[in-house]
Amino acid sequence: KVSTGKSEENNFVREADKTFRIFISRDGRWYYNGQEIIHERVLKFLSHHLQRNSKGEHYIAVKGERRPVDVEETPLLVDIVSLGQESAETFRLFLNDGSEEVLQPETLTIDERDNVYCWVKDKKLEARFKKTSYIELAKYLQHDEVLDRYFLPLNGERHYLKRREKDENGVQ
């Protein structure tokens, strides 16, 4: 009997799936099989290859291979928010993965605990504002007395913070 190596290879991949466990905690720390990942280049590599599918599942995709990532809340955090230098009508977001983005105000949401979130990375991943960045953003929020909702006024428009909806498991 001649072995093609395919079944052995498939068994190896299935076993690797069982042992490859990456977890991102609520505070943005990455863990591999229970051990915190602290190497900056590894963190940048993983963050760069992090994706999310239409079911909301996160994974690392490299060279056609996908490995699941468990995310406690959001994969990214907004460390710092500041008024954009190129225009007083934009906000710059500095994320915990070292990247910088312009806030897309229409993506702002708020949960029942008053945590604020937005979509980043071309609206592919979600980020939660840390307390300090939320306080900075809150300086610019205004309250609509009639609707009893908060909004961010930018470019003559009111960008209302939408309430986050819970999924079928009751998770926001």
Side-chain angles (χ1 to χ4, degrees), residues 7-57:
S7 65
E8 292 89 356
E9 184 177 300
N10 288 339
N11 285 335
F12 175 76
V13 169
R14 280 193 291 275
E15 287 304 311
D17 280 342
K18 291 177 189 173
T19 60
F20 185 90
R21 285 287 165 240
I22 289 187
F23 171 74
I24 305 173
S25 68
R26 185 177 193 282
D27 64 359
R29 294 174 193 246
W30 289 64
Y31 295 86
Y32 172 73
N33 292 341
Q35 298 293 314
E36 185 175 0
I37 302 169
I38 57 173
H39 193 280
E40 281 299 314
R41 288 178 60 196
V42 172
L43 288 168
K44 281 188 183 275
F45 176 85
L46 293 172
S47 182
H48 178 75
H49 292 286
L50 181 66
Q51 297 184 24
R52 182 178 182 266
N53 65 22
S54 61
K55 296 177 187 175
E57 301 163 331

Side-chain angles (χ1 to χ4, degrees), residues 114-130:
D114 292 331
N115 292 310
V116 176
Y117 305 82
C118 67
W119 288 89
V120 294
K121 311 286 183 184
D122 296 320
K123 299 182 184 177
K124 294 177 183 169
L125 295 173
E126 195 172 27
R128 179 177 51 83
F129 284 75
K130 286 181 161 181

Side-chain angles (χ1 to χ4, degrees), residues 99-110:
S99 64
E100 182 180 336
E101 302 223 352
V102 173
L103 171 66
Q104 304 299 316
E106 70 279 2
T107 70
L108 287 168
T109 60
I110 189 166

Side-chain angles (χ1 to χ4, degrees), residues 16 21 24 40 47 50 65 69 71 76-77 80 83 97 107 116 120 126 129 133 138 149 156 162 168:
R21 285 287 165 240
I24 305 173
E40 281 299 314
S47 182
L50 181 66
E65 293 289 322
V69 175
V71 178
L76 296 167
L77 297 172
I80 300 169
L83 210 49
D97 69 349
T107 70
V116 176
V120 294
E126 195 172 27
F129 284 75
S133 59
R149 290 178 59 198
K162 298 170 196 74
E168 64 276 358

Side-chain angles (χ1 to χ4, degrees), residues 69-105:
V69 175
D70 296 322
V71 178
E72 187 172 13
E73 188 172 7
T74 61
L76 296 167
L77 297 172
V78 178
D79 283 332
I80 300 169
V81 61
S82 67
L83 210 49
Q85 292 178 349
E86 62 279 348
S87 165
E89 295 291 325
T90 63
F91 286 88
R92 305 284 316 159
L93 305 177
F94 297 86
L95 305 177
N96 65 323
D97 69 349
S99 64
E100 182 180 336
E101 302 223 352
V102 173
L103 171 66
Q104 304 299 316

